[in-house]
């Protein structure tokens, strides 16, 4: 007796592709903020971005069909910003600021298209690289990761019956909601979705975002995903990422220039954005080094985002530094965003509560936690540590040291030089789960 | 971009009622088996069936709107068996037997309509009674219970957002599937759905049945729900119920006739049905009394369904009795069906495994376990102990003693007389959850 829309069913038969990325706004907000600065000040820099699978045991090229991957990447290249999207970018208020994007930048952006890609297989992995102007290659990071991650999910779920799939998603929903109920107990929590790049799928991320919106109320401050922020009337969240200091460092000629490059980034940033957007990402070449050499004005910034040190240890280090510089941590913000889950959010919140402002950017364990949800234990639904990092700038190697040596990227020899310049004090090796 | 079927949407706007019971086969199979015998041998008996809410603290009449209840009951009265349903009843094989229903009975059944009902409110409860020929009033038991139970669910869920509802059902699905995975570990389990009367809703029972079919494979032997058995190509499961001995007892004139009435039922039953359908329901007036006075041929029946004693104790009592009568329990069947859940099924299975054949009729905790699934703890989704029992036969009071005094029904004075005749040895008071 259930009504079947015959026309829809027949239309569905004609599908050639179920696109994963369907909008250029299906990306992280910080990419757009960084892009405006790159466009404004470094339009000539050439930058290569490269896919890096840190979970080596997972042979992505064996899991995902190359033709399917190419079809998805090709589809993403057909996308342009729509009129509605352009109007929203121009008219919306971000971090309390109107017209954060300059009209000239938006004009340029309206013609934006993702550039070409290089793809080949090597030893069970995909070598996926994007060559060209930094203004273009940078924009592949999030869609490339989202496409590969969702293709992995689709491969893992292929062959499961309709009913089994129903149970898989029911369990994942129940699991997330249990986390929501735990987090609801933290009265002053401020948390946002940072889960685009490693989401199980677009539709699942959308469900998660709607879940947090309904379940956490005003404790849920928004999403890093621009499209989901627009569609759900949420704040678009995010400031800047490692690619800025990595490129600045790569372009530095002398050791002294290299040592100072992270602060140069901040000066550039400050000239573009102010107020709530002044969040320092200190760990690109080690937080300890960063703090030691930081000019005093860095302590005037609104907050820090420790992204690779253990959260409590990393937060304490920054608080101590603020105090040494005579700033009151209670006026400052710590943004935690590395490998968070309900438990680490709780323990970090409880540890720092009352001593500093905090916000949490919840990523992979929000949008891709299907552990234990499959009818039989399978690892192919588990998220992996996949990143897409700038690897060269104007032909020079770009590297990241990180507070966690397991998260370092780049050529070993160059890493050696950077370690000599920045020192390696305070770096702590930890397993990288996601 | 999602395609909306406008015609369907507009049609949906015209809904006056979302009927709960949409088929006369949406009932338990044993009602049809009993009905054929009642139709054949007791067409003149007048029997009243009455709703009894054993969970007094729940004020059903405050939870459920009277108009909605009347609308649903009225709708059920419009139902007739369809051609497809009649053909299936005539052509299907039940318990290995073809043509279990006589053509004359089916001819009569094809005109069947549920009789009128009497409904009034009293102290927060509904007094719902069905007066008339036993052949008609008996058929209200299951639809009346299903309607009231689903109206309670609908009332409990009313006002929850679309998203919250999604989480409620996701949790219930995850919960049931965890039980399925536990039960899958019992290699010789035979289990069927007995959950029609106290189901959360029809659609939810259907989901549960499909879940057991997919999850338990051949361990899932069928459903007591005739409609779901037909639609899913499952065995329709069930034999007989307390109403038979209750009516026979009510019609008995002397104490001796009363004491013998349970065996008279069995003789009648045997003349109608044989083989796999010879399952004794021994607890109507106490199992201990039943076994003590039982003629030897009762031990030749295929099995027993202990329905109110604690399962292990009740099963042991029957096994001992079989052994005393020189029968091998390994050739016999125990059907457990009282207040089962995964845990009691496991413990009962493990206790008796290898000593007797077993099957389980899983009811309320299969089709209505939403405990802990709501976003905030609410009791209105919890199942209650609601029954619809024969209360008079030809104007004489009908009572049930049960092995559990908490499950006794009927007038106190008459219960006294029955206890004098049958004795009360072996009865154990236990809380009745569902």
């Amino acid at each position: 007796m259930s009504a079947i829309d015959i026309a829809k069913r027949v239309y569905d038969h004609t599908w050639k592709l179920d696109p994963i990325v369907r909008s250029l706004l299906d990306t992280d907000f910080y990419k757009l903020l960084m892009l405006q600065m790159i466009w404004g000040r470094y339009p000539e820099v050439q930058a290569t971005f490269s896919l890096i699978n840190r979970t080596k045991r997972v042979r992505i090229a064996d899991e995902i069909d190359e033709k399917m991957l190419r079809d998805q990447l090709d589809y993403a290249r057909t996308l342009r910003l729509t009129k509605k999207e352009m109007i929203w970018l121009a008219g919306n208020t971000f971090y309390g600021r109107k017209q954060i994007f300059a009209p000239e930048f938006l004009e340029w952006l309206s013609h934006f298209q993702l550039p070409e890609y290089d793809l080949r297989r090597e030893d069970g992995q995909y070598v996926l690289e994007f060559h060209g102007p930094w203004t273009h290659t940078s924009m592949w990071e999030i869609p490339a990761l989202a496409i590969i991650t969702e293709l992995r999910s689709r491969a893992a779920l292929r062959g499961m019956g309709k009913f089994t799939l129903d149970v898989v998603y029911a369990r994942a929903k129940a699991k997330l909601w249990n986390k929501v109920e735990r987090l609801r107990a933290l009265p002053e929590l401020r948390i946002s979705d940072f889960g685009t790049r490693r989401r199980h799928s677009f539709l699942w991320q959308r469900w998660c975002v709607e879940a947090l919106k309904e379940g956490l109320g005003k404790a849920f401050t928004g999403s890093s995903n621009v499209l989901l922020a627009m569609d759900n009337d949420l704040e678009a969240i995010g400031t800047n990422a490692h690619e800025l200091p990595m490129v600045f460092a790569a372009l530095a000629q002398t050791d002294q220039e290299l040592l100072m490059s992270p602060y140069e980034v901040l000066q550039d940033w400050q000239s573009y954005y102010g107020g709530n957007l002044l969040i320092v990402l200190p760990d690109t070449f080690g937080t300890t080094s960063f703090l030691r050499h930081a000019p005093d004005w860095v302590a005037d910034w609104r907050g820090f985002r420790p992204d690779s040190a253990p959260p409590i240890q990393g937060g304490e280090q920054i608080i101590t530094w603020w105090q040494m510089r005579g700033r009151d941590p209670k006026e400052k913000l710590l943004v935690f965003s590395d490998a968070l889950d309900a438990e680490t959010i709780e323990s970090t919140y409880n540890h720092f509560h009352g001593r500093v402002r905090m916000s949490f950017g919840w990523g992979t364990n929000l949008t891709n936690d299907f552990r234990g949800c499959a009818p039989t234990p399978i690892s192919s639904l588990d998220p992996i540590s996949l990143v897409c990092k700038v690897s060269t700038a104007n032909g020079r190697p770009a590297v990241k040291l990180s507070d966690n040596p397991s998260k370092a990227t780049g050529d070993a020899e160059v890493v050696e030089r950077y370690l000599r310049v920045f020192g390696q004090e305070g770096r702590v090796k930890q397993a990288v789960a996601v």
Side-chain angles (χ1 to χ4, degrees), chain A:
Chain A
M1 289 277 288
S2 67
I4 288 177
D5 183 338
I6 304 176
K8 179 178 181 307
R9 183 77 159 255
V10 171
Y11 172 75
D12 290 351
H13 291 156
T14 68
W15 275 25
K16 284 190 187 64
L17 184 74
D18 183 356
I20 291 171
V21 172
R22 299 179 180 211
S23 159
L24 285 175
L25 291 190
D26 185 9
T27 193
D28 277 346
F29 184 54
Y30 72 5
K31 298 302 302 196
L32 296 181
L33 292 175
M34 290 191 290
L35 185 62
Q36 177 166 236
M37 185 176 116
I38 298 168
W39 164 84
R41 297 184 61 105
Y42 307 95
E44 306 301 329
V45 171
Q46 302 290 306
T48 299
F49 275 70
S50 306
L51 183 76
I52 303 167
N53 174 14
R54 296 192 287 222
T55 310
K56 290 269 173 282
R57 63 179 160 73
V58 172
R59 295 168 62 88
I60 297 179
D62 294 346
E63 293 183 341
I64 298 176
D65 178 71
E66 183 174 333
K67 167 75 165 57
M68 283 186 185
L69 175 53
R70 286 186 185 273
D71 286 347
Q72 291 290 344
L73 295 169
D74 291 342
Y75 185 87
R77 293 200 62 230
T78 68
L79 296 170
R80 303 291 184 282
L81 284 160
T82 67
K83 256 193 191 176
K84 177 181 83 170
E85 292 170 341
M86 291 303 305
I87 292 166
W88 184 80
L89 285 177
N92 191 42
T93 302
F94 298 96
Y95 283 100
R97 261 184 66 181
K98 286 192 176 171
Q99 293 183 306
I100 206 167
F101 298 110
E104 305 75 33
F105 171 67
L106 288 178
E107 164 59 21
W108 174 84
L109 192 64
S110 69
H111 305 291
F112 184 86
Q113 173 186 12
L114 286 169
E116 293 187 355
Y117 60 88
D118 281 332
L119 176 68
R120 62 176 203 276
R121 305 161 79 99
E122 205 174 282
D123 190 25
Q125 302 295 339
Y126 283 118
V127 177
L128 178 59
E129 289 183 335
F130 308 99
H131 303 283
W134 190 12
T135 47
H136 284 70
T137 53
S138 168
M139 290 298 282
W140 259 120
E141 179 189 5
I142 307 301
L145 293 173
I147 284 170
I148 292 175
T149 310
E150 183 162 345
L151 284 177
R152 280 194 76 230
S153 305
R154 291 185 184 183
L157 298 173
R158 197 164 298 136
M160 289 189 192
K162 186 178 166 185
F163 190 88
T164 307
L165 289 170
D166 193 12
V167 171
V168 168
Y169 283 102
R171 282 182 168 166
K173 286 177 179 177
K175 205 172 174 191
L176 177 58
W177 200 255
N178 291 346
K179 296 182 187 179
V180 166
E181 292 191 343
R182 280 177 72 169
L183 295 177
R184 219 186 278 182
L186 310 177
E188 288 170 51
L189 183 70
R190 293 178 65 76
I191 191 164
S192 56
D193 155 43
F194 273 27
T196 300
R197 66 192 62 198
R198 297 206 199 111
R199 65 191 181 200
H200 169 83
S201 73
F202 172 73
L203 290 178
W204 178 246
Q205 183 185 17
R206 189 168 76 181
W207 193 93
C208 294
V209 164
E210 289 168 359
L212 295 197
K213 188 178 177 185
E214 169 135 345
L216 294 179
K218 70 182 184 48
F220 180 52
T221 54
S223 171
S224 66
N225 187 294
V226 191
L227 182 64
L228 291 174
M230 178 177 80
D231 286 345
N232 295 285
D233 269 342
L234 293 165
E235 293 290 324
I237 305 281
T239 54
N240 53 62
H242 297 110
E243 69 180 277
L244 295 181
M246 286 171 76
V247 170
F248 278 50
L251 298 179
Q253 301 293 329
T254 66
D255 284 359
Q256 182 59 24
E257 274 179 38
L258 175 58
L259 190 63
M260 288 300 118
S261 61
Y263 317 108
E264 207 193 323
V265 170
L266 301 185
Q267 280 179 306
D268 266 6
W269 189 261
Q270 191 152 12
S271 75
Y272 267 80
Y273 309 110
N276 287 331
L277 284 162
L278 298 184
I279 303 294
V280 181
L281 180 66
D283 69 325
T284 314
F285 308 116
T287 301
T288 303
S289 165
F290 179 91
L291 295 175
R292 175 172 304 150
H293 301 102
D296 192 67
W297 55 261
V298 174
D300 291 329
W301 277 40
R302 181 156 188 266
F304 274 65
R305 176 159 77 90
D307 193 47
S308 53
I312 289 175
Q313 182 182 321
E316 287 293 350
Q317 183 180 24
I318 293 159
I319 287 177
T320 304
W321 181 81
W322 275 323
Q323 289 167 330
M324 278 166 41
R325 300 288 180 133
R327 267 63 163 203
D328 180 4
K330 285 192 184 168
E331 303 292 312
K332 297 294 185 183
L333 177 69
L334 287 177
V335 181
F336 296 99
S337 61
D338 184 33
L340 297 175
D341 208 350
E343 243 166 271
T344 40
I345 293 168
E346 269 174 3
S347 58
T348 307
Y349 175 96
N350 288 327
H351 180 86
F352 289 112
H353 187 230
R355 297 172 52 207
V356 63
R357 292 177 184 165
M358 273 177 282
S359 77
F360 295 87
W362 195 8
T364 313
N365 290 315
L366 166 63
T367 59
N368 199 357
D369 185 4
F370 281 70
R371 298 176 193 90
C373 294
T376 46
I378 51 170
S379 62
S380 51
L381 268 183
D382 293 350
I384 58 174
S385 187
L386 193 70
V387 295
C388 182
K389 286 285 178 191
V390 60
S391 53
T392 72
N394 285 348
R396 299 162 64 92
V399 308
K400 182 174 111 164
L401 298 180
S402 173
D403 286 332
N404 178 0
S406 309
K407 292 179 93 171
T409 64
D411 182 75
E413 251 176 74
V414 187
V415 166
E416 277 306 306
R417 176 185 164 223
Y418 277 51
L419 283 174
R420 211 176 56 240
V421 171
F422 291 103
Q424 45 180 316
E425 206 187 326
R427 295 173 78 229
V428 182
K429 197 173 174 85
Q430 303 172 83
V432 178
V434 288

